[in-house]
Amino acid sequence: MADLLNSAYDLVLSTFRWGVIKVLAIGPVPQHIAFIMDGNRRYARQRSMAIKEGHTNGFQALEKVVDVCLKLGVKCVTVFAFSIENFKRSEEEVAALMELAETKLLDFTKATLHRDGVRVNVLGRMEMLPESVQKSFRISQEMTKDNFKHVLNFCMPYTSQDEITTAVQSAVQEKVCARVTEGDIERYLMTTLGGSPPLNILIRSGGAKRLSDFLMWQASENVQLHFIPTYWPDIGFWDLFPIIMDYQTKVWSRQEGKCGSKRWASVGFECVALIVIVTLFASLTRWRI
Ligand code: FPP
């Protein structure tokens, strides 16, 4: 009986979440969100788990977050999966991350990403990875190369300084003697080459307030930075909800004056829809608000 009640409650809760996502999707949706997935080890230690388990749960969280982003209509998601600096971690941890990378990204691609029209790009120094991981990444990329609905940039092994240096080298080679401009460098960034739109939001989980050499060029202009305390494996829709609302509020306030009536129609409709959904949820679950 308790199991039945729990499943019924889960069903109501996921329907509620689905409704809220649909309402948010009415408003302006960010085109590109990036994540620094921090806190896997602290999550594992807190629960007396092996570090590998923390990373495994981190990958499951990544799947959930990508699912929410696709449902919202976000065009591009970029995740920091492994920094070049992470090779300095213990052999055991690096091996565990490589094993996860080899199996999980391909499984996710086959099970979900390809079906949902997501193109998978692996950004970074692929040649530093074991051959078996490179092979698995190449299969994911090849399988999804003709998908144009969404993009998932899986940064591994990546640092922003390496990306910018490579972009400058390519721009200099192209220009030979002419002056290299910011635009030239931008054209050669890994994210640009992979067809990503400009970054709108960068979210770091785990409480630290720094970029750790991730998307430093892309985050330098018109990007909302959010540092949330949640450890990455615990991240869920309700961590993203206030961030998306904040983005929408900022877009709407920028639009003020430009297209006032359209903006208010959108805000009004979204508010009414949210109230209806919350009321329905409250009455279904006898939740008193
Ligand atoms: C940072 O948290 C996280 C990483 C170095 C790896 C992130 C990996 C995943 C989310 C799994 C998917 C990725 C691969 C490669 C398959 P941390 O380990 O530094 O945690 P801490 O801040 O608590 O020490």
Side-chain angles (χ1 to χ4, degrees), residues 34-224:
F35 295 93
I36 301 179
M37 309 185 284
D38 196 21
N40 291 353
R41 293 188 298 186
R42 277 167 289 162
Y43 166 92
R45 282 190 204 112
Q46 202 180 50
R47 290 164 175 75
S48 310
M49 287 173 166
I51 298 294
K52 183 180 176 177
E53 259 187 278
H55 290 312
T56 307
N57 290 4
F59 198 91
Q60 283 165 2
L62 163 66
E63 292 179 341
K64 281 192 216 144
V65 165
V66 169
D67 180 59
V68 169
C69 289
L70 299 188
K71 286 197 171 100
L72 271 172
V74 175
K75 164 97 183 144
C76 177
V77 175
T78 301
V79 295
F80 201 6
F82 191 90
S83 162
I84 294 174
E85 293 296 308
N86 290 149
F87 280 114
K88 293 180 187 153
R89 292 194 177 190
S90 74
E91 234 176 84
E92 192 191 351
E93 187 181 351
V94 173
L97 281 163
M98 293 301 150
E99 194 189 317
L100 273 179
E102 186 182 333
T103 53
K104 297 283 179 187
L105 183 65
L106 189 54
D107 290 349
F108 187 30
T109 304
K110 286 179 182 161
T112 310
L113 298 174
H114 188 39
R115 184 200 63 202
D116 289 341
V118 181
R119 186 168 72 252
V120 176
N121 295 324
V122 177
L123 307 187
R125 293 228 166 244
M126 268 247 262
E127 72 278 9
M128 294 174 88
L129 299 170
E131 185 49 47
S132 56
V133 179
Q134 290 188 38
K135 189 175 166 207
S136 167
F137 282 180
R138 277 196 295 269
I139 299 172
S140 287
Q141 294 192 113
E142 185 60 29
M143 188 188 289
T144 59
K145 70 179 191 317
D146 296 324
N147 294 342
F148 289 101
K149 215 166 147 199
H150 304 276
V151 175
L152 172 65
N153 294 319
F154 195 80
C155 299
M156 176 172 184
Y158 169 95
T159 62
S160 205
Q161 292 186 45
D162 178 65
E163 178 188 34
I164 295 169
T165 309
T166 312
V168 171
Q169 284 164 351
S170 305
V172 169
Q173 258 171 24
E174 185 200 72
K175 289 287 184 129
V176 193
C177 295
R179 197 168 155 264
V180 170
T181 63
E182 279 177 23
D184 295 323
I185 297 171
E186 181 120 19
R187 274 193 296 117
Y188 281 107
L189 291 175
M190 290 168 182
T191 47
T192 315
L193 294 172
S196 315
L199 183 64
N200 304 116
I201 300 178
L202 191 151
I203 302 171
R204 179 180 186 134
S205 63
K209 293 188 176 70
R210 53 178 187 266
L211 292 186
S212 299
D213 215 344
F214 182 55
L215 302 187
M216 291 188 306
W217 184 289
Q218 295 84 339
S220 62
E221 221 176 333
N222 290 330
V223 172
Q224 267 177 241

